[in-house]
Amino acid sequence: MLEALQAGAQSFQAAAHRHPRRVSAAVVALLAGSAVAAFGVAPLTALPQGAQPQIAQIHETVAVPELPVQLSNLDAQTLTLYRSDVTRPADTVDSLLARLGVDDMDTAQFIRNDPVAGTILQGRTGKSVKASVEDGQLQELIVRGPADSVNDLDTHFSRLTITRVKAQGNSPARWDVRKELVPLETVPQLASGTIQSSLYAAADDAHVPDGVTNQLAEIFGNDIDFRRELRKGDAFSVLYEAHTADGEPITWGGSAGRVLAARFINQDKTHDAIWFQEPGKKGAYYDLNGRSKIRSFLASPLAFSRVTSGFAMRFHPILQKWRAHLGVDFGAPTGTPVRTVGDGVVSFAGQQNGYGNVIQIQHSGNRMTVYAHLSRIDVRKGQHVEQGARIGAVGATGWATGPHLHFEFKLSGHQVDPMTIARASDSQVLSPQALAQFRQRTVDVAQTIQAAGQWQTAGAQSGPRFE
């Protein structure tokens, strides 16, 4: 027994000389564990007055751990460390590599001269960069960024891989460069926020992509007038498809998938929307009762924009006098697509005095819509158009002080508020068979939405109006 303990002690001393830090850490961990165990099994108890505590001695043979073998196994393990960063507007090849811990002139020279590797700093900034470095030499560099083609931005990403190939014999080391177009992955993401000044400000605070915010404005556009009815304290939450590249969050922004479910609490009134596709039909958003959020008429002829002049009295910027503004002006850059708000037939497409380039669409029930100051016209008289179809683009033709769209809704020849018409228009309802499937889906989705902390109805308080 004594000889075994002495041999174990000698082995321990030898290991301590070779690996002082690891042995110290192991001893500290062992002592810490022993202290915890002692505290747990030997609590203090009260003794009778004059009684002497009895000391119990426990004899147990403890096996000495084979520290040399364990330390040898640890030395055999390889651990690869990576450094991650994102590209910045003022980056050069040298500054980027320096942040990644690369001190290798040959690597920097290769990246500058290679036509594929040199694309690291081209295009949009914010690309994700991950580097494997050993002794200042780059072993592998992986750069993930947006797809080069506009058509692939929402579905794919670009992956550039630069790998060092070890030298063999007297030949110098070389690099393997590979650029790929890889499909984006989608994962459900839940976010919520509270309105303090505007929808976009609240969405930015909640780290919601702009593409998702645009969808929110579209989904609830017929329920909420975001110019006149938004209140401080209103709350929203959204479950959407977040895009990832190789399982990592996208760093360059601008890409987001479909909104799966959303709730908006406006002036203490709750509006819900859930994406559902009935077999054999197009997918759409429905409220919890299975009624479609899409109505016969949209509230806006633009996907989402800033209303610069509403349906009310205003001071005319050209005539310099107060007069009724029997339409809605949407401020937007020249070339912004304009869509028809409902199914109909083009009754006029051309120039018309102060309206400049204008399109008139006749709808059922003596209803007509007018789209003025267009930079271009993409339809012709007599053409049938469906709701949401592109008919032209925003411009500044006619009597216009800047690029915008003047939009009117006429009922029996008289201008009316487009928002009133949109809210009063009909909406579709799911068939009884699809409604049963829809209700099964809404149970899980509604519970997920309700779980968000800021989604409680009590969290939405009415406040001052924000224009």
Side-chain angles (χ1 to χ4, degrees):
M1 177 67 177
L2 180 60
E3 294 178 354
L5 290 175
Q6 290 177 345
Q10 292 176 355
S11 299
F12 183 81
Q13 291 176 353
H17 284 295
R18 290 196 304 269
H19 308 279
R21 292 185 178 180
R22 295 184 181 179
V23 172
S24 298
V27 171
V28 170
L30 180 61
L31 292 176
S34 300
V36 172
F39 179 82
V41 300
L44 296 176
T45 57
L47 295 174
Q49 187 174 4
Q52 297 294 328
Q54 297 186 9
I55 300 175
Q57 295 184 355
I58 300 175
H59 299 275
E60 183 178 354
T61 301
V62 179
V64 178
E66 298 180 356
L67 292 179
V69 177
Q70 295 185 20
L71 294 174
S72 177
N73 293 336
L74 288 174
D75 288 337
Q77 296 295 324
T78 58
L79 181 62
T80 303
L81 299 178
Y82 290 90
R83 289 192 178 183
S84 299
D85 209 315
V86 295
T87 58
R88 304 173 185 176
D91 262 339
T92 63
V93 173
D94 293 317
S95 65
L96 176 61
L97 293 180
R99 290 204 309 276
L100 296 171
V102 179
D103 184 14
D104 184 357
M105 296 297 296
D106 294 337
T107 300
Q109 189 68 21
F110 169 78
I111 294 177
R112 280 192 291 265
N113 295 335
D114 187 84
V116 179
T119 62
I120 291 176
L121 299 179
Q122 296 178 6
R124 189 181 304 181
T125 59
K127 297 177 182 177
S128 170
V129 184
K130 185 171 73 171
S132 172
V133 184
E134 292 182 6
D135 298 327
Q137 286 191 337
L138 180 68
Q139 302 301 314
E140 185 180 58
L141 184 69
I142 302 176
V143 183
R144 301 179 182 88
D148 296 330
S149 172
V150 177
N151 296 330
D152 296 324
L153 286 178
D154 291 332
T155 56
H156 293 74
F157 72 97
S158 174
R159 183 205 292 146
L160 175 63
T161 306
I162 303 175
T163 307
R164 180 187 289 271
V165 180
K166 293 184 178 180
Q168 296 181 355
N170 296 327
S171 61
R174 60 184 181 85
W175 295 95
D176 177 57
V177 182
R178 184 173 67 259
K179 191 171 185 179
E180 306 165 280
L181 184 66
V182 187
L184 287 166
E185 303 163 343
T186 58
V187 295
Q189 181 74 35
L190 180 64
S192 59
T194 302
I195 305 298
Q196 298 297 331
S197 59
S198 69
L199 173 60
Y200 275 92
D204 288 342
D205 291 340
H207 305 291
V208 176
D210 287 347
V212 173
T213 310
N214 291 338
Q215 292 182 59
L216 281 177
E218 285 291 299
I219 294 170
F220 298 110
N222 283 5
D223 300 319
I224 304 169
D225 187 335
F226 286 98
R227 184 184 70 92
R228 295 179 293 186
E229 297 177 350
L230 205 59
R231 300 289 191 273
K232 183 178 181 179
D234 287 354
F236 70 89
S237 187
V238 56
L239 179 68
Y240 64 94
E241 295 175 335
H243 284 162
T244 60
D246 291 335
E248 298 182 3
I250 288 178
T251 56
W252 55 90
S255 178
R258 176 185 292 127
V259 169
L260 302 176
R263 173 176 293 173
F264 209 110
I265 305 175
N266 172 241
Q267 302 183 45
D268 297 330
K269 184 177 181 180
T270 301
H271 305 275
D272 292 301
I274 296 177
W275 171 263
F276 180 76
Q277 184 170 6
E278 187 175 354
K281 296 184 179 180
K282 293 182 179 180
Y285 292 97
Y286 298 85
D287 63 18
L288 297 183
N289 295 320
R291 185 173 296 275
S292 175
K293 305 296 289 187
I294 299 177
R295 307 198 180 190
S296 301
F297 291 98
L298 302 174
S300 170
L302 301 184
F304 188 77
S305 185
R306 179 171 56 91
V307 178
T308 55
S309 183
F311 189 85
M313 292 292 294
R314 68 155 182 177
F315 187 77
H316 198 283
I318 295 179
L319 300 180
Q320 294 296 303
K321 63 180 181 179
W322 286 93
R323 63 180 296 178
H325 187 242
L326 302 179
V328 180
D329 285 350
F330 296 87
T334 298
T336 302
V338 176
R339 62 188 181 182
T340 176
V341 297
D343 297 346
V345 178
V346 178
S347 59
F348 182 87
Q351 292 186 341
Q352 201 175 79
N353 299 325
Y355 279 168
N357 292 332
V358 61
I359 297 173
Q360 297 177 353
I361 297 180
Q362 188 68 48
H363 308 278
S364 61
N366 295 322
R367 293 173 290 193
M368 175 186 288
T369 51
V370 180
Y371 313 79
H373 306 310
L374 302 172
S375 62
R376 57 177 294 169
I377 296 175
D378 296 329
V379 292
R380 64 183 184 279
K381 182 178 179 180
Q383 180 178 342
H384 178 79
V385 291
E386 295 182 352
Q387 183 187 74
R390 175 170 176 162
I391 58 175
V394 170
T397 57
W399 296 352
T401 57
H404 72 284
L405 173 71
H406 175 78
F407 174 64
E408 294 181 10
F409 202 112
K410 294 183 178 181
L411 183 61
S412 299
H414 300 284
Q415 289 95 340
V416 294
D417 189 345
M419 192 69 184
T420 302
I421 296 295
R423 289 181 173 176
S425 58
D426 299 330
S427 60
Q428 298 179 351
V429 180
L430 289 170
S431 64
Q433 297 81 2
L435 185 59
Q437 300 177 6
F438 174 77
R439 285 176 174 167
Q440 292 179 356
R441 170 177 169 76
T442 59
V443 173
D444 295 335
V445 174
Q447 290 177 351
T448 301
I449 291 176
Q450 194 65 28
Q454 296 182 353
W455 266 62
Q456 304 300 326
T457 305
Q461 302 295 332
S462 297
R465 188 173 73 191
F466 286 83
E467 298 289 345

